[in-house]
Amino acid sequence: MKIFVVSDTHGQIDKAYRIYEKTGGADLIIHCGDYRDDGKRLSELTGAPVEAVSGNCDGASRDVRIVGTPAGDIMVTHGHAEGVDYDLNAVLYAAEESGCRAVCFGHTHVSLCEDMNGIYVINPGSLTRPRDGKGGACALIQADEHGFFANLVYYDTLFPSGTAGAGTGTKGGFLRNMLNYSDRF
């Protein structure tokens, strides 16, 4: 099962759609919030089913879904209610308590993909408003009876500056970083 994971699209799904097409599609799309309806729009464009949660910019206090896969369950949340800005303990505990083998979240706009104590922790970052000095990212998960394999896919790697479908090639975010990562800015 191939899963395409995005978060924090904030009304702009063009980059997500380009990467989805370039990587050969997926069996499922997971949208980790902040503009949950963007997940629905991606589903309509691609024909792939979607599991989407609401984030703080959607007005949600907490929204969690458990997604079943051949490799085990994935917990999907935005992460703001679990305090992922500060540490990952709460989101890890929630995934473990739910019996999940992986957790997908967003909110920080910073990509992360690693195995922490047997639980895959995946934050696809943001394709539209990245805060990690990179050109935006999403994640791809392969889940089968042998387990999970997940990796980050960076927009600038697939669409280098100057190629069709590429962004402007400029880096931003300095002022936003100074403002303590405010999603309301």
Side-chain angles (χ1 to χ4, degrees):
M1 173 180 215
K2 184 177 178 184
I3 305 168
F4 181 73
V5 186
V6 293
S7 186
D8 297 286
T9 49
H10 293 273
Q12 300 171 353
I13 63 169
D14 293 345
K15 285 184 172 182
Y17 181 71
R18 286 185 198 126
I19 290 178
Y20 179 91
E21 289 291 304
K22 181 94 172 186
T23 59
D27 301 307
L28 176 68
I29 296 170
I30 290 178
H31 192 291
C32 299
D34 272 358
Y35 288 48
R36 177 183 180 180
D37 287 345
D38 289 352
K40 294 176 187 173
R41 289 177 46 218
L42 276 170
S43 178
E44 290 168 0
L45 282 172
T46 63
V50 67
E51 289 286 345
V53 294
S54 297
N56 56 301
C57 288
D58 296 306
S61 57
R62 186 164 192 252
D63 189 5
V64 176
R65 301 252 190 283
I66 305 296
V67 178
T69 77
D73 290 342
I74 299 173
M75 185 178 103
V76 181
T77 186
H78 184 57
H80 63 291
E82 293 84 6
V84 296
D85 306 82
Y86 308 106
D87 68 51
L88 300 178
N89 288 330
V91 77
L92 273 168
Y93 295 148
E96 187 175 32
E97 287 175 358
S98 299
C100 293
R101 301 274 319 276
V103 58
C104 295
F105 64 94
H107 187 60
T108 65
H109 296 223
V110 176
S111 53
L112 168 73
C113 182
E114 65 182 77
D115 186 328
M116 294 184 172
N117 299 324
I119 297 176
Y120 253 110
V121 179
I122 303 161
N123 182 337
S126 174
L127 283 163
T128 56
R129 297 180 182 179
R131 293 182 183 151
D132 53 7
K134 299 172 182 150
C138 62
L140 289 175
I141 300 171
Q142 185 66 42
D144 59 31
E145 61 278 354
H146 302 292
F148 285 101
F149 175 77
N151 65 316
L152 297 171
V153 177
Y154 293 94
Y155 186 80
D156 289 347
T157 301
L158 290 178
F159 301 101
S161 290
T163 63
T168 62
T170 60
K171 302 272 186 213
F174 178 74
L175 182 59
R176 181 179 309 277
N177 289 341
M178 289 178 54
L179 295 172
N180 197 23
Y181 300 123
S182 172
D183 275 341
R184 300 286 185 215
F185 179 69

